[in-house]
Amino acid sequence: MPVFLHTRIRVANPEKTIAFYEPLGFKVTHRNDKSPAGNKLVFLELEGNAHALELCYSPDYTPSVPEDLMHTAVGYEDLIAKCDELEKLGYDIWPADWRTVFPTGRKMAFVTDPDGYEVELLERA
């Protein structure tokens, strides 16, 4: 049976991107300062997940992510508490009225990483 291992995103500054994803729950699992193609790679994982987020940095490439091109999604048991925590750290949670747009049922909100990739924050059942 095939296994979905990782998703690669291009980043302008790996350390800045790592700092963004760590409060979301991601941890660096391994780094490769020079891949066969010459890229710097950093793998981030959420505890208990087999799928990784691969950050790829190349000094000769500038990421340009069109709005709404793609997004990742992360689930939290208490989305309001998580977003409160992220807002205290300076994260811009959007849409601004997400708390009132989803008064009942599963809540969702978004943050945008330093390179423009959207991260959907979902309340887990």
Side-chain angles (χ1 to χ4, degrees), residues 103-119:
T104 61
R106 191 162 79 164
K107 294 171 180 41
M108 63 186 285
F110 289 86
V111 291
T112 305
D113 85 0
D115 295 292
Y117 296 101
E118 297 172 0
V119 181

Side-chain angles (χ1 to χ4, degrees), residues 45-111:
E45 292 182 13
L46 289 167
E47 186 177 337
N49 288 252
H51 188 86
L53 182 62
E54 177 186 3
L55 309 180
C56 178
Y57 169 74
S58 178
D60 61 345
Y61 182 85
T62 303
S64 177
V65 181
E67 186 177 331
D68 205 26
L69 172 68
M70 62 158 288
H71 73 267
T72 54
V74 181
Y76 300 97
E77 288 183 27
D78 186 344
L79 185 61
I80 290 175
K82 186 62 182 180
C83 287
D84 287 346
E85 172 191 326
L86 294 173
E87 286 177 327
K88 286 177 185 169
L89 294 172
Y91 283 68
D92 180 27
I93 312 288
W94 57 275
D97 61 348
W98 73 271
R99 285 176 172 87
T100 58
V101 171
F102 305 102
T104 61
R106 191 162 79 164
K107 294 171 180 41
M108 63 186 285
F110 289 86
V111 291

